[in-house]
Amino acid sequence: MKFIHFSLFLSIFFALNSVTQELTVAEDIFIEKRIYTTNKLEKVPVIDGLVNEDAWDAVPWSSDFVERVPDEGTPPLYQTKFKVMYDDKYLYIAIRAYDGEPDLIEKRLSRRDGFAGDRVNVIIDSYHDKRTAFVFTTTAAGVKGEEFVSENGNNWDDSWNPVWYTDANVDEKGYTIEMKIPFSQLRFGKAKEQIWGFNINRTIFRVQERSLWQRIPNNQAGFISEAGELHGLVDLPSQKQLEIQPYTVLQYDNYPAEAGNPFRTGSDFKVNLGLDAKIGVTNDLTLDLTVNPDFGQVEADPGAIALDGFQIFFREQRPFFVENRNIFDFQFANGQDNLFYSRRIGRNPHRSANLQEGEFANEPLNSRILGAAKFSGKTQDGWSLGVLETVTANEFAEIREVDGDTREEIVEPLTNFFVARAQKDFNERNSFLGAIFTATNRSLGGNFNELHKAAYSGGIDFQHNWKNRDYFLDGNVIFSHVLGSAEAIERTQRSITRLFQRPGATHVAVDPTRTSLSGSGGRVELGKAGGGNWRYNGGVIWRSPELELNDVGFLRNTDEVIQFANASYLWQIPTETYRNAGVNLEQLTEYDFQGNLNRLRFEGSGDINWINNARTRIGFGANFKRFSNFFLRGGPRWRRANSRYVFASFGSDNSKIFRYSLNYLNVHSDENVLGRNRYSIGLAYQPTDALNISFENEFEITKDRSQYVTALDTQEGRRYILGNIKNDQFTSTLRFTYSINPDFSIQFYGQPFISRGRFSNFNFVNEATAEKFTDRVNFYDENQIQEVTNTSGSSIFSVDENRDQIEDYSFNNPNFSFAQLQTNLVVRWEYIPGSELFFVWARGSVGNTNTRDSLSDGIREQVFNTPAEDTFLIKATYRFVR
């Protein structure tokens, strides 16, 4: 297609042209790799945070840290030194963090992975692939944290929870830290002498200063690749990890009883058992197993309303799927689109029970995960491997019939999910080539004709870096193939992700005889990520109309080709006014596969980190020639009004006891079709080292004269009905954490949410692509539409379009006011490393409030007057580690 080739040419030309015209104000500096050579210990130290034992005399100190933030390349405020030694099972690290003002050291307690206060991060690239690393953090208060780093420092994942040992102590010279890290928690090859990437980062919290043992200039594109090296690890025995973690959950639910419903008597009690296991197949590859996993203590999803009809992305919070997710991640385009979206596994059933009058049903909330296995890791020669196999059960609704008998009705079929991922580093770790394959297979048994019998997707991804990793070329290409009955494939063609039935589309059409569908997508990007002050990139993204990933992936919409280009200029040397600053320009063009131009967007933004460590960000943008193939949900292509937007945010120094953030967004369009204002404020207060309180509020007001309501077939033809909506939305989130010590904490989460939409000035589409909004729609006058109450007591709008005193058609009143309350109180005790005890109280309610009420009245009704459901549970885990 000519426009694809032209867009790709523009993006590549932009990047290459920028290479020849770049103005570099800061010369690249050659930094020599530092090496620390360790030795085997002679005595075993006690890990108590006091570096005062003779055992540490087996190795020398290393120091000479260099400031990274704010003033890169200069001596830090206070120096740091460390030692590393080892035996057959453990790596031992001692750290002395000097501080001339020990009374000012921030000893903030927090939950594990809280990363608050003065702290030290030990960064270990045991694969020595110069792209990934294991990070062990200890704060001055002795709180531990761990992260797995990927993408050469661009992705830090704190879901990794290994078993290791640490402690800290504050004295008159500053503070000291001791660490004892089992080799079984790391991944490495079988070389006689191990050479690992190694670095240590220290944060002086009160001045927000970071210093590194191995200096890494701010204009350097990589982070893990630029670490120093740890030598001297000789003849390490094979470390095959073995961990078994059974759990027990006691759960009591209390909720409002429903008269006559035998399944909603007011309370339930259940006991649940399960098992997680981690087996080291080799030094660098691990097999994770789970049987009947429990996710009872996971925080609930935030409240949200989708007025555009598309699905909402929710982040994964279940531990089994969160850990090592970077290996299985395959984001192929922009946004959240991914070939693997683990929230599909264990989802709510596709069907609800088919009930007759007077019947009741006990329906499962989620599909039970019978078992799951995950094989993952990275080999010494650069192979990243991941295989995931999961089976979810047949799910049945138990139905109590009018005569008292019971029957079962299947609501979700037995389903197998499979994901395989591989990636290979080469060219001295400056390049990689990878692939992914996913499969979803359902046992339909002659039922569920609306579901795909099988769904497959696959893709390849690549990246090449050159000139000290300053420049890059990366991308991916993906494919999908789904199979099923003619009914299932027709539903796929007509779904909001595709809408093949829309009038005026000459490149797609619904074929009711098809039993399969195949599509493709991908991204190609070229740019500059480091060196000097300029950064830029450009590329092309595409999703074919037939692409389908939503059986085990996440795909919002299709039929799209996007050309994009970005350029940034950075000021990275501090002045008396700021620490660092930057400006950014973006350009984006969207087409569909018919060749229609659907959007042209420009955006400019700037951000600055002030010398007092406060932050400011402002920006503006505009959308032109904007059209949507999906707005009318099967109707013709719709012209959106040109719009402009501005945004601004300001945040205070995060090291202060009291801190805040302010955010504002304004969107307005031609002819006042759309107007939106979003305000948010976040407050955090830490009155003591043990107590941390945060309070976030977001209020959004949207006025849209073209909100989609419904589509109806009438004697005059198909009517696409729109309305003027005033949608007010408010969310408030309160969190507090009280840490008695690093292993015992009390955490609270509470969030009321309300979204209220009130409609007026209904209209129907006349000429969907007309330039003026008043030409795109026809407004009903007072003689054509009136609100009436039907026999069921609900409100409808009756339309007499031709004014002959006879109703031509009607539609339901679309007004809504949805409110939700979620609270969660968790007491967590890690009584020994890796083994935990949870006490949880969750309270929540969901309902619809009166649309005539104010937002405050709606929230008050939901919080105080609506009967809530309470869940009390105790969960105990014990981790057996070899």
mmCIF file of all heavy atoms in Angstrom, residues 665-685:
data_model
loop_
_atom_site.group_PDB
_atom_site.id
_atom_site.type_symbol
_atom_site.label_atom_id
_atom_site.label_comp_id
_atom_site.label_asym_id
_atom_site.label_seq_id
_atom_site.Cartn_x
_atom_site.Cartn_y
_atom_site.Cartn_z
ATOM 1 N N LEU A 665 -5.739 18.551 33.229
ATOM 2 C CA LEU A 665 -5.894 18.306 31.794
ATOM 3 C C LEU A 665 -7.135 19.031 31.302
ATOM 4 O O LEU A 665 -8.187 18.958 31.934
ATOM 5 C CB LEU A 665 -6.038 16.811 31.513
ATOM 6 C CG LEU A 665 -6.472 16.430 30.086
ATOM 7 C CD1 LEU A 665 -5.360 16.735 29.084
ATOM 8 C CD2 LEU A 665 -6.876 14.962 30.011
ATOM 9 N N ASN A 666 -6.990 19.729 30.170
ATOM 10 C CA ASN A 666 -8.137 20.382 29.539
ATOM 11 C C ASN A 666 -8.175 19.996 28.072
ATOM 12 O O ASN A 666 -7.165 20.080 27.371
ATOM 13 C CB ASN A 666 -8.049 21.905 29.669
ATOM 14 C CG ASN A 666 -9.111 22.605 28.835
ATOM 15 O OD1 ASN A 666 -8.868 23.006 27.694
ATOM 16 N ND2 ASN A 666 -10.297 22.754 29.398
ATOM 17 N N VAL A 667 -9.337 19.544 27.617
ATOM 18 C CA VAL A 667 -9.555 19.213 26.207
ATOM 19 C C VAL A 667 -10.760 20.000 25.722
ATOM 20 O O VAL A 667 -11.794 20.044 26.397
ATOM 21 C CB VAL A 667 -9.818 17.705 26.015
ATOM 22 C CG1 VAL A 667 -9.994 17.379 24.530
ATOM 23 C CG2 VAL A 667 -8.701 16.870 26.622
ATOM 24 N N HIS A 668 -10.636 20.642 24.573
ATOM 25 C CA HIS A 668 -11.777 21.336 23.995
ATOM 26 C C HIS A 668 -11.707 21.202 22.482
ATOM 27 O O HIS A 668 -10.638 21.075 21.900
ATOM 28 C CB HIS A 668 -11.803 22.816 24.404
ATOM 29 C CG HIS A 668 -10.578 23.572 24.028
ATOM 30 N ND1 HIS A 668 -9.388 23.460 24.718
ATOM 31 C CD2 HIS A 668 -10.334 24.446 23.010
ATOM 32 C CE1 HIS A 668 -8.471 24.235 24.165
ATOM 33 N NE2 HIS A 668 -9.011 24.843 23.132
ATOM 34 N N SER A 669 -12.866 21.211 21.845
ATOM 35 C CA SER A 669 -12.921 20.939 20.411
ATOM 36 C C SER A 669 -13.676 22.030 19.675
ATOM 37 O O SER A 669 -14.334 22.903 20.275
ATOM 38 C CB SER A 669 -13.604 19.587 20.161
ATOM 39 O OG SER A 669 -14.996 19.675 20.424
ATOM 40 N N ASP A 670 -13.606 21.969 18.362
ATOM 41 C CA ASP A 670 -14.376 22.888 17.514
ATOM 42 C C ASP A 670 -15.857 22.721 17.800
ATOM 43 O O ASP A 670 -16.342 21.624 18.109
ATOM 44 C CB ASP A 670 -14.115 22.587 16.031
ATOM 45 C CG ASP A 670 -12.692 22.900 15.609
ATOM 46 O OD1 ASP A 670 -11.976 23.555 16.392
ATOM 47 O OD2 ASP A 670 -12.295 22.484 14.498
ATOM 48 N N GLU A 671 -16.596 23.821 17.688
ATOM 49 C CA GLU A 671 -18.058 23.865 17.849
ATOM 50 C C GLU A 671 -18.495 23.385 19.237
ATOM 51 O O GLU A 671 -19.655 23.023 19.436
ATOM 52 C CB GLU A 671 -18.753 23.020 16.783
ATOM 53 C CG GLU A 671 -18.441 23.448 15.354
ATOM 54 C CD GLU A 671 -19.130 22.565 14.340
ATOM 55 O OE1 GLU A 671 -20.340 22.787 14.073
ATOM 56 O OE2 GLU A 671 -18.480 21.648 13.820
ATOM 57 N N ASN A 672 -17.550 23.350 20.191
ATOM 58 C CA ASN A 672 -17.860 22.910 21.558
ATOM 59 C C ASN A 672 -18.528 21.537 21.595
ATOM 60 O O ASN A 672 -19.386 21.260 22.437
ATOM 61 C CB ASN A 672 -18.768 23.930 22.259
ATOM 62 C CG ASN A 672 -18.053 25.235 22.540
ATOM 63 O OD1 ASN A 672 -16.880 25.234 22.927
ATOM 64 N ND2 ASN A 672 -18.738 26.351 22.320
ATOM 65 N N VAL A 673 -18.112 20.676 20.665
ATOM 66 C CA VAL A 673 -18.651 19.320 20.671
ATOM 67 C C VAL A 673 -18.175 18.577 21.920
ATOM 68 O O VAL A 673 -18.944 17.880 22.575
ATOM 69 C CB VAL A 673 -18.232 18.564 19.394
ATOM 70 C CG1 VAL A 673 -18.701 17.109 19.456
ATOM 71 C CG2 VAL A 673 -18.812 19.254 18.170
ATOM 72 N N LEU A 674 -16.910 18.728 22.251
ATOM 73 C CA LEU A 674 -16.339 18.022 23.395
ATOM 74 C C LEU A 674 -15.588 18.990 24.287
ATOM 75 O O LEU A 674 -14.828 19.835 23.804
ATOM 76 C CB LEU A 674 -15.383 16.923 22.918
ATOM 77 C CG LEU A 674 -14.576 16.195 24.008
ATOM 78 C CD1 LEU A 674 -15.502 15.355 24.884
ATOM 79 C CD2 LEU A 674 -13.490 15.324 23.384
ATOM 80 N N GLY A 675 -15.788 18.845 25.582
ATOM 81 C CA GLY A 675 -15.010 19.581 26.571
ATOM 82 C C GLY A 675 -14.732 18.689 27.762
ATOM 83 O O GLY A 675 -15.638 17.997 28.246
ATOM 84 N N ARG A 676 -13.498 18.693 28.209
ATOM 85 C CA ARG A 676 -13.150 17.838 29.347
ATOM 86 C C ARG A 676 -12.157 18.560 30.230
ATOM 87 O O ARG A 676 -11.197 19.161 29.751
ATOM 88 C CB ARG A 676 -12.556 16.514 28.876
ATOM 89 C CG ARG A 676 -12.079 15.609 30.016
ATOM 90 C CD ARG A 676 -11.607 14.244 29.519
ATOM 91 N NE ARG A 676 -12.713 13.482 28.978
ATOM 92 C CZ ARG A 676 -12.737 12.955 27.753
ATOM 93 N NH1 ARG A 676 -11.703 13.125 26.941
ATOM 94 N NH2 ARG A 676 -13.781 12.272 27.333
ATOM 95 N N ASN A 677 -12.398 18.479 31.540
ATOM 96 C CA ASN A 677 -11.464 18.997 32.538
ATOM 97 C C ASN A 677 -11.217 17.909 33.563
ATOM 98 O O ASN A 677 -12.167 17.339 34.123
ATOM 99 C CB ASN A 677 -12.031 20.242 33.229
ATOM 100 C CG ASN A 677 -11.975 21.475 32.337
ATOM 101 O OD1 ASN A 677 -10.919 22.065 32.147
ATOM 102 N ND2 ASN A 677 -13.121 21.845 31.780
ATOM 103 N N ARG A 678 -9.945 17.621 33.795
ATOM 104 C CA ARG A 678 -9.583 16.608 34.786
ATOM 105 C C ARG A 678 -8.628 17.236 35.796
ATOM 106 O O ARG A 678 -7.621 17.831 35.431
ATOM 107 C CB ARG A 678 -8.926 15.403 34.131
ATOM 108 C CG ARG A 678 -8.540 14.299 35.118
ATOM 109 C CD ARG A 678 -7.737 13.207 34.425
ATOM 110 N NE ARG A 678 -8.499 12.622 33.352
ATOM 111 C CZ ARG A 678 -7.951 12.127 32.235
ATOM 112 N NH1 ARG A 678 -6.639 12.203 32.062
ATOM 113 N NH2 ARG A 678 -8.710 11.596 31.306
ATOM 114 N N TYR A 679 -8.977 17.089 37.067
ATOM 115 C CA TYR A 679 -8.166 17.626 38.155
ATOM 116 C C TYR A 679 -7.773 16.463 39.066
ATOM 117 O O TYR A 679 -8.613 15.625 39.395
ATOM 118 C CB TYR A 679 -8.946 18.649 38.972
ATOM 119 C CG TYR A 679 -9.671 19.702 38.176
ATOM 120 C CD1 TYR A 679 -10.958 19.463 37.682
ATOM 121 C CD2 TYR A 679 -9.087 20.938 37.933
ATOM 122 C CE1 TYR A 679 -11.633 20.435 36.954
ATOM 123 C CE2 TYR A 679 -9.752 21.911 37.210
ATOM 124 C CZ TYR A 679 -11.032 21.657 36.720
ATOM 125 O OH TYR A 679 -11.704 22.622 35.994
ATOM 126 N N SER A 680 -6.533 16.442 39.473
ATOM 127 C CA SER A 680 -6.138 15.426 40.454
ATOM 128 C C SER A 680 -5.129 16.026 41.418
ATOM 129 O O SER A 680 -4.329 16.895 41.055
ATOM 130 C CB SER A 680 -5.549 14.195 39.764
ATOM 131 O OG SER A 680 -4.336 14.497 39.125
ATOM 132 N N ILE A 681 -5.207 15.574 42.641
ATOM 133 C CA ILE A 681 -4.294 16.027 43.679
ATOM 134 C C ILE A 681 -3.905 14.818 44.513
ATOM 135 O O ILE A 681 -4.751 13.992 44.874
ATOM 136 C CB ILE A 681 -4.934 17.127 44.559
ATOM 137 C CG1 ILE A 681 -3.944 17.565 45.643
ATOM 138 C CG2 ILE A 681 -6.253 16.664 45.162
ATOM 139 C CD1 ILE A 681 -4.407 18.796 46.404
ATOM 140 N N GLY A 682 -2.627 14.695 44.764
ATOM 141 C CA GLY A 682 -2.135 13.619 45.610
ATOM 142 C C GLY A 682 -1.382 14.193 46.791
ATOM 143 O O GLY A 682 -0.567 15.107 46.653
ATOM 144 N N LEU A 683 -1.661 13.674 47.965
ATOM 145 C CA LEU A 683 -1.012 14.114 49.196
ATOM 146 C C LEU A 683 -0.407 12.905 49.893
ATOM 147 O O LEU A 683 -0.999 11.821 49.909
ATOM 148 C CB LEU A 683 -2.020 14.788 50.133
ATOM 149 C CG LEU A 683 -2.836 15.945 49.550
ATOM 150 C CD1 LEU A 683 -3.911 16.375 50.543
ATOM 151 C CD2 LEU A 683 -1.930 17.117 49.207
ATOM 152 N N ALA A 684 0.759 13.075 50.456
ATOM 153 C CA ALA A 684 1.395 12.000 51.222
ATOM 154 C C ALA A 684 2.038 12.610 52.458
ATOM 155 O O ALA A 684 2.614 13.698 52.412
ATOM 156 C CB ALA A 684 2.432 11.273 50.370
ATOM 157 N N TYR A 685 1.937 11.877 53.546
ATOM 158 C CA TYR A 685 2.446 12.387 54.824
ATOM 159 C C TYR A 685 3.052 11.225 55.596
ATOM 160 O O TYR A 685 2.448 10.153 55.713
ATOM 161 C CB TYR A 685 1.303 13.023 55.618
ATOM 162 C CG TYR A 685 1.718 13.614 56.951
ATOM 163 C CD1 TYR A 685 2.781 14.510 57.052
ATOM 164 C CD2 TYR A 685 1.034 13.273 58.109
ATOM 165 C CE1 TYR A 685 3.156 15.054 58.270
ATOM 166 C CE2 TYR A 685 1.392 13.817 59.340
ATOM 167 C CZ TYR A 685 2.457 14.710 59.408
ATOM 168 O OH TYR A 685 2.838 15.240 60.613
#
